[in-house]
């Protein structure tokens, strides 16, 4: 008979046949639980096999994993009232709280852990669990988190309390303390400097910003404040239409002026034009974009047209057939800054965008050779790294070669020898 063993009893000639399968099943049951009797029996809980919360019958605290044997609590669990039951009377332990220190976002996430499953709440004031106003977005288990904000710069404190499934809640709040310090920036795009603005005309002051809610705009003549132009403009609008009145800056020489765009919440965050601009009387005799708007006697600023030659422009040059860049018909000629004029004649990622005469910067393509890149390195088949097709070739920073590293090592070794010789000469 397979899968059996024979066990001879003490009595003569008696053999007991035992199934190995039956023994295996018995061992499996024993391995699954250390309890030797049925739940709620008088010896179900023991010090060597303690019970979990809600189990019994226990006799002493050391027979409970929770460390507490509640006397005569059986009725709560549908048992005889004199049955003693292991219960959890300890509030959840809160640990690994965050964030802390300084964070660079005004929408941070509060997070922490508990040593048991629990429901948790938080508030900006220290209150009891039931009085706390906010429940965590993710709670009920051992990991808890919730996003808060948007928050202002400065210190923030949140109080946290939890309650486990047995109704045990924290007697004291845990605190999450951190500060918000955003990297706020403003970059003034127009005017940048050198422009001549005309009284009676309107000009679009333009900027880019990050982590700024609203801005103010001021004009200065040296240290003299010429007045507030605008305040409380939504920063993400990126522009403000400045109508320069005929009496602006009356009595002052309006040369070499400074325009400042600043954060309304934190005035130390601002940007100004790189060099001075001027405000003069209006000399234009026709409307913007008309064929004779720009003339040598009344030149145009960058972004204005239609121009006919470089002498029609205050700065830079007259770029031909670039009207589409400025929302005009393609054949319009527009005054531009030299630094804003691109040598590229096709769109980014087109086959001939990068050329030896107009090389690409790192992260641009498509390139054909190292000469097509200002970095001196055209990385083949790397387009996927930049969201393009994988076979596209892209200009990248030139990797350091083994030869370069060896050369650097040789130079450092030579420098070390020179320093040693100098030290020896000084010690003589």
């Amino acid at each position: 008979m397979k899968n059996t063993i024979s066990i001879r009893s003490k009595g003569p000639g008696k053999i007991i046949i035992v199934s190995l399968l039956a023994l295996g099943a018995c061992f499996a049951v024993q391995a699954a639980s250390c309890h030797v009797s049925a739940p709620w029996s008088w010896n179900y809980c023991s010090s060597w096999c303690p019970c979990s919360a809600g189990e019994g019958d226990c006799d002493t605290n050391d027979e409970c994993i929770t460390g507490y044997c509640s006397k005569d609590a059986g009725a709560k669990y549908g048992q005889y009232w004199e049955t003693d039951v292991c219960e959890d009377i300890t509030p959840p332990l809160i640990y690994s709280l965050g964030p802390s220190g300084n964070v660079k976002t005004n929408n941070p996430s509060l997070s922490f852990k508990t040593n048991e499953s629990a429901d948790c709440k938080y508030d900006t004031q220290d209150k009891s669990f039931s009085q706390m106003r906010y429940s965590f977005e993710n709670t009920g288990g051992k990991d808890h988190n919730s996003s808060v904000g948007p928050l202002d710069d400065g210190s923030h404190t949140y109080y946290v309390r939890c309650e486990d499934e047995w109704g045990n809640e924290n007697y004291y709040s845990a605190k999450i303390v951190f500060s918000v310090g955003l990297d706020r920036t403003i970059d003034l795009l127009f005017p940048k400097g050198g422009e001549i603005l005309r009284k009676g005309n309107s000009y679009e002051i333009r900027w880019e910003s990050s982590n700024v809610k609203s801005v103010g705009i001021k004009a200065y003549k040296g240290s003299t404040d010429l007045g507030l132009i605008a305040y409380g403009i939504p920063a993400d609008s990126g522009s403000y239409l400045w109508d320069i009145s005929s009496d602006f800056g009356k009595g002052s020489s309006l040369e070499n002026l400074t325009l400042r765009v600043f954060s309304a919440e934190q005035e130390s965050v601002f940007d100004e034009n790189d060099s001075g601009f001027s405000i003069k009387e209006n000399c234009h005799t026709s409307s913007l974009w008309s064929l004779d708007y720009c003339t040598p006697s009344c030149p145009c600023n960058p972004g204005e047209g239609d121009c006919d030659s470089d002498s029609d422009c205050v700065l830079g040059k007259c770029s031909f057939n670039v009207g589409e860049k400025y929302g005009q018909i393609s054949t319009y000629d527009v005054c531009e800054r030299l630094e804003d004029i691109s040598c590229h004649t096709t769109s980014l990622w087109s086959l001939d965008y990068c050329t030896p005469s107009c090389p690409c910067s790192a992260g641009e393509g498509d390139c054909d050779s190292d000469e097509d890149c200002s970095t001196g390195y055209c990385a083949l088949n790397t387009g996927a790294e930049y969201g393009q097709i994988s076979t596209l070739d892209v200009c990248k920073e030139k990797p350091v070669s083994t030869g370069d590293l060896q050369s650097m090592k040789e130079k450092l070794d030579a420098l070390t020898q020179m320093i040693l010789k100098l030290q020896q000469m000084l010690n003589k």
Side-chain angles (χ1 to χ4, degrees):
M1 182 181 295
K2 296 180 178 180
N3 299 323
T4 62
I5 59 173
S6 299
I7 303 175
R8 186 176 295 278
S9 70
K10 290 184 179 180
K14 292 185 178 180
I15 297 176
I16 300 173
I17 307 299
V18 180
S19 167
L20 289 176
L21 293 175
L23 283 173
C26 178
F27 293 146
V29 170
Q30 183 65 21
S33 173
C34 60
H35 299 291
V36 296
S37 58
W40 301 110
S41 59
W42 66 272
N43 61 345
Y44 184 73
C45 306
S46 63
S47 58
W48 59 273
C49 188
C51 288
S52 300
E55 294 181 340
D57 179 38
C58 55
D59 297 308
T60 60
N61 289 341
D62 62 359
E63 293 184 357
C64 300
I65 295 174
T66 62
Y68 179 69
C69 180
S70 180
K71 303 302 180 183
D72 302 333
K76 292 166 58 177
Y77 302 91
Q79 306 300 317
Y80 181 60
W81 70 273
E82 287 188 329
T83 302
D84 305 329
V85 185
C86 292
E87 289 191 324
D88 182 352
I89 60 170
T90 305
L93 175 65
I94 299 173
Y95 64 100
S96 295
L97 295 101
S100 61
N102 187 65
V103 297
K104 296 294 186 180
T105 173
N106 61 354
N107 290 285
S109 178
L110 308 181
S111 64
F112 61 93
K113 297 178 181 292
T114 51
N115 65 329
E116 60 178 321
S117 296
D119 289 318
C120 301
K121 293 181 178 181
Y122 68 95
D123 208 317
T124 54
Q125 296 179 333
D126 193 3
K127 301 177 180 180
S128 66
F129 175 79
S130 60
Q131 291 180 322
M132 285 192 165
R133 293 175 292 172
Y134 311 111
S135 293
F136 279 83
E137 295 170 354
N138 296 304
T139 191
K142 295 182 179 181
D143 293 297
H144 314 267
N145 60 76
S146 190
S147 58
V148 292
L151 303 177
D152 293 329
D153 280 5
S155 179
H156 297 271
T157 301
Y158 288 89
Y159 298 88
V160 176
R161 294 199 191 197
C162 299
E163 181 183 68
D164 65 16
E165 59 180 311
W166 305 101
N168 303 308
E169 63 181 62
N170 298 114
Y171 305 118
Y172 304 99
S173 296
K175 287 200 299 184
I176 299 177
V177 182
F178 60 93
S179 61
V180 174
L182 300 178
D183 290 329
R184 304 180 188 276
T185 62
I186 296 176
D187 183 20
L188 180 59
L189 303 179
F190 182 89
K192 294 180 71 70
E195 297 89 351
I196 299 176
L197 308 187
R198 306 292 177 177
K199 290 185 177 182
N201 279 8
S202 296
Y203 295 90
E204 188 178 48
I205 301 172
R206 294 182 288 109
W207 64 85
E208 291 179 347
S209 64
S210 63
N211 297 320
V212 176
K213 293 181 180 179
S214 60
V215 301
I217 306 172
K218 279 186 176 182
Y220 294 87
K221 167 67 176 179
S223 59
T224 303
D225 187 344
L226 297 180
L228 187 67
I229 296 171
Y231 190 80
I233 307 301
D236 57 7
S237 66
S239 67
Y240 174 77
L241 193 62
W242 181 22
D243 184 9
I244 304 178
S245 63
S246 58
D247 60 349
F248 178 82
K250 195 170 184 178
S252 301
S253 171
L254 300 181
E255 301 281 345
N256 198 28
L257 303 181
T258 298
L259 192 76
R260 174 180 294 185
V261 178
F262 60 92
S263 167
E265 297 80 32
Q266 188 177 351
E267 291 195 19
S268 60
V269 177
F270 65 88
D271 192 27
E272 299 174 342
N273 39 295
D274 299 331
S275 59
F277 69 96
S278 303
I279 296 178
K280 297 184 177 181
E281 297 297 329
N282 192 0
C283 56
H284 294 293
T285 57
S286 59
S287 60
L288 181 64
W289 302 114
S290 60
L291 296 178
D292 54 352
Y293 184 76
C294 307
T295 63
S297 60
C298 192
C300 287
N301 292 304
E304 296 179 340
D306 180 81
C307 56
D308 299 310
S309 65
D310 292 348
S311 60
D312 287 348
C313 302
V314 173
L315 298 167
K317 60 171 293 184
C318 181
S319 298
F320 301 128
N321 302 323
V322 294
E324 284 185 336
K325 289 170 59 177
Y326 302 91
Q328 307 299 318
I329 59 175
S330 60
T331 55
Y332 265 45
D333 308 325
V334 185
C335 292
E336 293 188 315
R337 290 178 181 271
L338 289 174
E339 60 265 32
D340 295 336
I341 299 171
S342 174
C343 59
H344 298 290
T345 58
T346 59
S347 60
L348 180 64
W349 306 115
S350 60
L351 295 179
D352 53 352
Y353 184 74
C354 307
T355 62
S357 60
C358 189
C360 288
S361 301
E364 296 180 341
D366 176 57
C367 54
D368 299 310
S369 65
D370 291 346
E371 290 74 23
D372 286 349
C373 303
S374 60
T375 61
Y377 176 58
C378 179
L380 305 181
N381 301 323
T382 53
E385 298 178 25
Y386 302 89
Q388 307 300 317
I389 59 174
S390 60
T391 55
L392 208 66
D393 308 327
V394 184
C395 292
K396 299 178 74 171
E397 295 295 338
K398 191 174 183 179
V400 179
S401 65
T402 304
D404 292 336
L405 291 174
Q406 182 62 31
S407 176
M408 290 172 62
K409 182 178 182 303
E410 292 172 355
K411 290 178 180 178
L412 286 172
D413 289 343
L415 181 60
T416 302
Q417 292 299 320
M418 290 177 60
I419 293 173
L420 289 173
K421 288 180 180 179
L422 286 172
Q423 288 178 336
Q424 292 172 358
M425 292 173 63
L426 290 172
N427 291 332
K428 288 182 178 181

